Amino acid sequence: KDKADLDKYGWIIFSLLMMAFLAKDMINGCKLIYFSSKVSTIGARIRYFIGGMCLCSITLFALYVSTVYNRAIATSNTDIIVNSVIVLFIMEIDEYIFAALEASN
């Protein structure tokens, strides 16, 4: 495919979008891993560590998949931005559902 309309500015905007939306989950995952060393009981340590590793892994996997997807599909700066927003919206659906369930209780 001809990717003449896709330049470094599209990738910079993609990177900024991904950092803005995924930084929260990455920071929270790192905090959980850090707090796993501060908790006194072994069961809580294991839960914090596994939870933090899962959150960091899912966040990094989402970044990887988004990058691979956009490298394969995007042909212009507009495509890369639209694809990024769609992927990030799909990733946020679980938080919206959780907030709705939490509000109903």
Side-chain angles (χ1 to χ4, degrees):
K1 290 184 178 182
D2 181 28
K3 296 191 177 194
D5 293 336
L6 182 60
D7 58 9
K8 67 179 179 180
Y9 298 112
W11 286 106
I12 290 171
I13 293 171
F14 165 78
S15 300
L16 291 173
L17 278 170
M18 297 307 278
M19 283 191 307
F21 281 93
L22 297 179
K24 177 184 162 195
D25 288 340
M26 196 66 187
I27 290 169
N28 286 336
C30 290
K31 280 183 176 179
L32 283 172
I33 293 169
Y34 173 73
F35 288 138
S36 71
S37 67
K38 303 293 182 189
V39 179
S40 61
T41 63
I42 190 72
R45 281 184 182 203
I46 292 171
R47 283 193 305 270
Y48 277 111
F49 184 77
I50 291 175
M53 287 301 295
C54 287
L55 189 54
C56 287
S57 298
I58 290 170
T59 302
L60 291 174
F61 184 69
L63 178 64
Y64 171 75
V65 168
S66 298
T67 304
V68 169
Y69 178 75
N70 277 317
R71 286 186 61 120
I73 300 294
T75 58
S76 68
N77 290 340
T78 306
D79 285 346
I80 201 168
I81 294 168
V82 169
N83 291 342
S84 300
V85 170
I86 291 170
V87 168
L88 291 171
F89 175 74
I90 290 171
M91 290 175 44
E92 292 292 318
I93 287 176
D94 67 328
E95 292 183 22
Y96 294 136
I97 292 171
F98 180 72
L101 290 173
E102 198 172 53
S104 68
N105 286 333

